Amino acid sequence: MAEPPKPNLPTGALFGRRVGQVLFFSAVIWVIVSSTTQILAEAFFAPRVPRSAEACRAELSSLRARLAEASLVDTTSGGELAAVNGFRAALGGEAGRDFDRRALELIDGCPPDESAAANALARLRAAQEAMVRVDVLQSAPARLAHDRAVKRLSSPASSRAPSP
């Protein structure tokens, strides 16, 4: 079987096709290079504002206080998502992002000791959020069952002596 003959395109159509392909691939390469340049500039050459150790310590103490307040948020009602959202709202900003942003600024701009403390505080925040989830999923049902049992024991109907 022979291949069907290819249609002969005029020279102008072939030239136009080639120009279109060159323009398309040039645009693709331009987008790739420009976005890569922007990402690299933000990641490696972002201006870091150095802070004094005293300013870093003051900010760390503010973040510690905010984390302590967030850990006291009532997580017993509403389920896991409500508990996590309440915890994050207590941290500040949208979904606790204000706390995260401030901690990252401290990690990047503080002296080494304060930077290590900010890193530990950010990890503690993540652990606290994980414990909120664990508490809601595991401990809250056990507390609820315990409260029901205590209420049944202390109710007036159960305190009466059994009749013979």
Side-chain angles (χ1 to χ4, degrees):
M1 295 203 173
E3 283 185 29
K6 293 184 180 177
N8 291 333
L9 295 174
T11 308
L14 287 174
F15 179 73
R17 177 183 285 174
R18 296 288 180 223
V19 168
Q21 289 174 343
V22 166
L23 288 175
F24 174 76
F25 287 110
S26 297
V28 168
I29 290 171
W30 178 76
V31 167
I32 291 170
V33 169
S34 64
S35 60
T36 302
T37 304
Q38 181 180 2
I39 291 169
L40 289 175
E42 288 177 3
F44 295 114
F45 304 110
R48 293 200 168 92
V49 178
R51 296 182 178 195
S52 68
E54 293 80 23
C56 290
R57 287 187 199 115
E59 184 76 13
L60 278 169
S61 110
S62 168
L63 289 178
R64 276 191 209 104
R66 185 176 280 182
L67 186 60
E69 289 172 13
S71 66
L72 298 175
V73 170
D74 179 29
T75 60
T76 57
S77 61
E80 179 186 3
L81 188 58
V84 170
N85 285 339
F87 177 78
R88 289 178 177 174
L91 288 175
E94 179 187 342
R97 297 296 177 233
D98 184 49
F99 183 93
D100 295 337
R101 180 188 53 75
R102 289 170 61 191
L104 287 174
E105 287 174 359
L106 290 176
I107 291 170
D108 286 343
C110 288
D113 290 339
E114 286 76 11
S115 178
N119 189 19
L121 189 63
R123 291 183 10 215
L124 179 62
R125 176 241 184 268
Q128 289 274 359
E129 184 175 322
M131 288 310 298
V132 166
R133 291 177 188 274
V134 168
D135 184 57
V136 170
L137 293 176
Q138 294 177 359
S139 301
R143 277 195 304 271
L144 184 61
H146 177 264
D147 291 343
R148 286 183 191 148
V150 168
K151 284 181 184 176
R152 277 191 298 234
L153 288 176
S154 64
S155 70
S158 65
S159 64
R160 284 187 267 147
S163 57

